[in-house]
Amino acid sequence: MSLNVKHINGDTTFLLAFSPLQEFPPSPCFQQPPGQFSILVDPWLSGPSLMWHAKFLLSKHTVPPCINNLSHIPEPNVVLVSQDKPDHCHEETLRQLDPSSTHTTILAEPAAAKKIRGMKHFNTAHIHALPAFSHRKPESIVRFFIPPLTTGGLSGEVTIAFIPSKLDVSGLHNAIGITYRPPTTSYLNPTRFPSPLPSSYTTSESSKPSSRPQNFPPTPPESPLATSNFSSTDSTAVTSPNSSCWSHSHASLSMSTSSTTSTPYAHIPAQKTISVIYSPHGVSYPPIRDYASSHLVSSAALPLTAFLHSFDRVQNPWWLGGNINAGLPGGVEIAKSLMTKCWVGAHDEDKENSGFSVIRAATRKYNRAEVQEMVGKETQVEELGVGEELVLRA
């Protein structure tokens, strides 16, 4: 399976495209390949970013984005908005989305979700506020189920979790955790069809709080290959690939924030799961550790595939909010602890900023070589230019 990371603007707008290993012949009648799942992150294309008043903060891109309108890319499955600040939740850009589309779901940090609903542009049924992650609450993880690629295959799953920082008065510091487990065309061991365990042994791992030791190690262990589960929800029913067209409707996805009932099957080795943590302003390690030690370990999603985080550190006086971007000093612990395969720089554009809130801001810039030296040679470090793409494999 693979993850394609495309940098849409010079700042922190990314298009993430997750794909299974299987490849299907091209067809003129589908826009998105079977099993693929795409997420558009914090879209901001043209127009300024204005916070409250131009005298407080006005930001402008200094490098034009690689597209002029969101209609120039295929409709994403999810538009992800990490916070309500206008450089992340940009109204002019969001209004470029088709309000009548039933293909795209908007997932947003709670304040951002409220702001987007207030635009009165979208069907509110397609806007969802992300709950704060808790390893004690399985329903705090939003799940999308992807239909199997063929009859007899296993369904895939995308999970999205909102990981806020505690006591963050600025509302800047949080992370979004994403995992992708692809659907398959058939059982990986086709010679022996697995039998369900006796009902007396059937459990639902997603319907009970995760149990973990109170004093777990600072670095979560590398995930073992987990056993695959069939979801019992009707939403993962198979659509025959022999139909004349693989369309968006074929790949229609079921979203759930509730605990799903699943039946474990024995002896089905699963592919490893792609995992992403997106934290443009940075977040402290403890909430990430809770997420990794519970969800990522149980999902066979470690080492972390991609870490989207700022390189540069930006600091204001405490009375103007204190730290703005944690940068390299704030991200290195997360990158090392989760054995990150690739760190992609985010939110480091040299924007044209003006206003009272930035007159005292001090920026310490870090280049790619400095980040590489700090995280070590085991982690690939990338600084994507506008329109550049990176393909990562699990």
Side-chain angles (χ1 to χ4, degrees), residues 79 81 83-84 89-91 94-95 97 99 105-131 142 255 257:
V79 173
V81 181
Q83 57 180 266
D84 66 334
C89 185
H90 191 254
E91 181 171 353
L94 288 171
R95 285 183 178 274
L97 294 166
T105 299
I106 298 175
L107 294 182
E109 176 267 344
K114 181 179 180 180
K115 182 177 179 180
I116 296 169
R117 291 190 189 102
M119 296 176 189
K120 300 183 187 289
H121 180 70
F122 302 99
N123 183 339
T124 56
H126 299 152
I127 304 169
H128 301 272
L130 287 164
V142 178
M255 188 188 82
T257 56

Side-chain angles (χ1 to χ4, degrees), residues 242-318:
N242 297 322
S243 59
S244 60
C245 179
W246 287 84
S247 63
H248 283 314
S249 60
H250 161 75
S252 61
L253 309 166
S254 169
M255 188 188 82
S256 173
T257 56
S258 61
S259 300
T260 57
T261 302
S262 56
T263 303
Y265 284 77
H267 311 300
I268 312 177
Q271 299 184 61
K272 295 208 69 171
T273 301
I274 286 179
S275 53
V276 177
I277 287 180
Y278 170 69
S279 184
H281 289 269
V283 67
S284 59
Y285 180 57
I288 297 292
R289 182 180 57 197
D290 287 348
Y291 170 74
S293 298
S294 54
H295 182 61
L296 293 187
V297 168
S298 65
S299 301
L302 288 175
L304 185 72
T305 308
F307 183 41
L308 278 61
H309 187 284
S310 57
F311 289 176
D312 301 341
R313 185 174 181 86
V314 183
Q315 189 74 29
N316 250 341
W318 67 266

Side-chain angles (χ1 to χ4, degrees), residues 22 29 37 43-44 49 63 67-68 73-74 78 97 119 128 171 177 202 205 216 262 277 283 293 334 344 367 373 384:
Q22 293 86 354
C29 63
F37 192 94
W44 172 26
S49 165
V63 179
I67 57 174
N68 296 323
I73 58 173
V78 168
L97 294 166
M119 296 176 189
H128 301 272
T202 298
E205 296 198 6
F216 46 81
S262 56
I277 287 180
V283 67
S293 298
I334 297 173
V344 180
N367 60 38
E373 181 180 2
L384 298 178

Side-chain angles (χ1 to χ4, degrees), residues 91-231:
E91 181 171 353
E92 182 179 341
T93 301
L94 288 171
R95 285 183 178 274
Q96 296 174 6
L97 294 166
D98 181 2
S100 63
S101 172
T102 59
H103 177 73
T104 300
T105 299
I106 298 175
L107 294 182
E109 176 267 344
K114 181 179 180 180
K115 182 177 179 180
I116 296 169
R117 291 190 189 102
M119 296 176 189
K120 300 183 187 289
H121 180 70
F122 302 99
N123 183 339
T124 56
H126 299 152
I127 304 169
H128 301 272
L130 287 164
F133 171 78
S134 169
H135 69 272
R136 297 183 179 88
K137 297 179 180 180
E139 67 273 13
S140 66
I141 296 176
V142 178
R143 301 174 185 272
F144 292 84
F145 297 100
I146 308 173
L149 298 177
T150 61
T151 301
L154 298 174
S155 59
E157 182 185 62
V158 171
T159 72
I160 299 177
F162 171 58
I163 310 165
S165 182
K166 295 181 179 178
L167 304 177
D168 177 34
V169 294
S170 67
L172 295 174
H173 301 287
N174 63 47
I176 307 289
I178 304 167
T179 67
Y180 169 80
R181 189 190 70 235
T184 66
T185 55
S186 62
Y187 293 107
L188 300 181
N189 183 9
T191 60
R192 181 176 180 180
F193 193 87
S195 300
L197 297 174
S199 58
S200 58
Y201 291 94
T202 298
T203 60
S204 173
E205 296 198 6
S206 62
S207 63
K208 60 183 180 180
S210 303
S211 59
R212 61 184 179 89
Q214 294 297 317
N215 298 310
F216 46 81
T219 300
E222 182 171 352
S223 299
L225 289 180
T227 56
S228 296
N229 291 339
F230 266 147
S231 169

Side-chain angles (χ1 to χ4, degrees), residues 348-362:
D348 289 328
E349 180 185 13
D350 291 324
K351 298 183 289 292
E352 181 183 322
N353 294 320
S354 61
F356 175 74
S357 66
V358 293
I359 58 175
R360 297 291 184 91

